[in-house]
Amino acid sequence: MIAGMYGLQHIGALHLQRVLGLGELTTGLAFLPAPVAIAIAIGIGIGIGIGIGILMLGLSAASSAASAPTTPSSRAAPSSPSASR
């Protein structure tokens, strides 16, 4: 799939330069919106991922707090032998 994407860019650049007669700079500028859009999408995706991660962490903490026992343990703490003298 990656090779197909590179091949499409190569053939597209050849078409723009040889068939349509565009220069090198104009051809490069014609392909510029794709990497800019990818960079923006990656930034948005990272922000969404971090937001979802924080939300899941909060839900996990709330779930743990809700399921924790609210009464103290019925087991008494062991007394030390020196305290009974």
Side-chain angles (χ1 to χ4, degrees):
M1 184 170 165
I2 302 296
M5 291 171 57
Y6 284 121
L8 181 64
Q9 287 182 344
H10 180 72
I11 299 298
L14 288 176
H15 175 74
L16 289 174
Q17 288 180 350
R18 295 189 177 175
V19 176
L20 299 179
L22 298 177
E24 293 85 7
L25 181 62
T26 311
T27 301
L29 291 175
F31 281 101
L32 191 59
V36 170
I38 290 170
I40 291 170
I42 287 172
I44 292 171
I46 288 173
I48 291 172
I50 289 173
I52 290 174
I54 290 172
L55 175 68
M56 295 303 261
L57 181 65
L59 290 175
S60 173
S63 174
S64 295
S67 64
T70 56
T71 59
S73 176
S74 61
R75 246 180 14 178
S79 61
S80 64
S82 61
S84 62
R85 290 183 191 177

